Amino acid sequence: MITIQNKNELRKYAMQKRNSFADSGVLENKSSIIIQKILNSSEFNNSNHIALYFPIKNEIDLTSLLNLKDKNFYLPRCNNNELEFVKFEGFNLLKSGTYGILEPTGEKINPEILDIIYIPALMANKMNYRLGYGKGYYDRFFAKYNLKAKKIIIVPFELHNDAFIQDEFDFQCDNTISA
Ligand code: ADP
Ligand code: MG
């Protein structure tokens, strides 16, 4: 367990750790285990409106879930430094956005319809607080709305870190899924 507390130091550590997963097939393996956990969860099976994310920089890849036809999926989009969610209507309708992340091009939805939001993270602690890339997109989004959606962090086990102390503006999520 590492004991660094500074967020920027932790981000560097987490990025390096994730890079080490990339080549060896570890990331694919973790992604498929987490997908199985999601598919086996009652919260997923009981939900209809589900937000995922398009992976970058060795994030866990959940995008094969987007092929399921019996759920409505949504992806985040950065607009004027704020997060919004847009319905996924097919891979061919995604376009590279602000950070080079593939984003849907349709109308933003009312996020109050969402049942679950799966959130990528660099790290998470046992209280379900997440460390992101440092722009606070999800923190600001969750502070703006009072969402019923279950907020679930997706992060490798190796990047659980209870030395990470959240700031007061960090938003507490409901659960963390790891592999
Ligand atoms: P991340 O969550 O991406 O790891 P941080 O938690 O470090 O990033 O947050 C980045 C910045 O976002 C903070 O320095 C803070 O100023 C801003 N921020 C976070 N939450 C809010 C909020 N609810 N309202 C306004 N600014 C916020
Ligand atoms: Mg934060």
Side-chain angles (χ1 to χ4, degrees):
M1 177 62 74
I2 60 158
T3 53
I4 311 165
Q5 289 187 3
N6 175 281
K7 280 184 166 180
N8 279 328
E9 295 283 312
L10 285 172
R11 288 185 182 107
K12 263 189 247 164
Y13 173 88
M15 289 298 284
Q16 280 169 8
K17 191 82 183 165
R18 266 186 3 194
N19 287 345
S20 75
F21 299 150
D23 296 332
S24 47
V26 177
L27 197 61
E28 284 82 356
N29 193 36
K30 286 180 180 295
S31 297
S32 67
I33 293 169
I34 289 177
I35 286 171
Q36 273 316 312
K37 288 187 178 184
I38 289 173
L39 288 171
N40 290 335
S41 69
S42 56
E43 62 207 2
F44 182 84
N45 286 300
N46 295 330
S47 294
N48 188 17
H49 299 286
I50 298 166
L52 293 171
Y53 56 88
F54 208 93
I56 53 162
K57 301 180 190 166
N58 302 319
E59 286 171 345
I60 301 283
D61 185 351
L62 305 179
T63 53
S64 67
L65 291 170
L66 293 168
N67 295 306
L68 296 175
K69 295 296 172 226
D70 57 339
K71 306 277 185 199
N72 295 299
F73 290 107
Y74 304 84
L75 290 173
R77 181 167 69 194
C78 299
N79 186 6
N80 289 323
N81 288 317
E82 290 199 17
L83 210 59
E84 57 191 26
F85 282 86
V86 180
K87 193 164 190 290
F88 171 77
E89 309 266 21
F91 288 97
N92 54 334
L93 295 174
L94 301 177
K95 270 180 74 173
S96 179
T98 316
Y99 296 96
I101 304 171
L102 288 176
E103 299 175 339
T105 48
E107 289 289 303
K108 70 172 177 185
I109 57 142
N110 177 352
E112 285 165 17
I113 69 166
L114 294 172
D115 299 312
I116 312 183
I117 305 175
Y118 293 103
I119 309 161
L122 279 168
M123 279 193 177
N125 68 20
K126 65 168 175 266
M127 298 291 289
N128 298 310
Y129 286 94
R130 71 181 276 281
L131 180 73
Y133 293 108
K135 295 238 160 30
Y137 273 98
Y138 281 95
D139 291 327
R140 288 181 285 114
F141 178 76
F142 292 141
K144 181 170 164 181
Y145 298 96
N146 183 18
L147 297 181
K148 69 168 196 281
K150 274 232 180 294
K151 301 163 194 77
I152 302 179
I153 302 171
I154 304 295
V155 75
F157 277 130
E158 292 84 346
L159 294 169
H160 284 214
N161 178 14
D162 294 330
F164 157 51
I165 312 287
Q166 67 277 0
D167 291 310
E168 71 277 5
F169 51 75
D170 281 323
F171 199 91
Q172 187 173 29
C173 296
D174 297 294
N175 199 359
T176 300
I177 302 182
S178 298

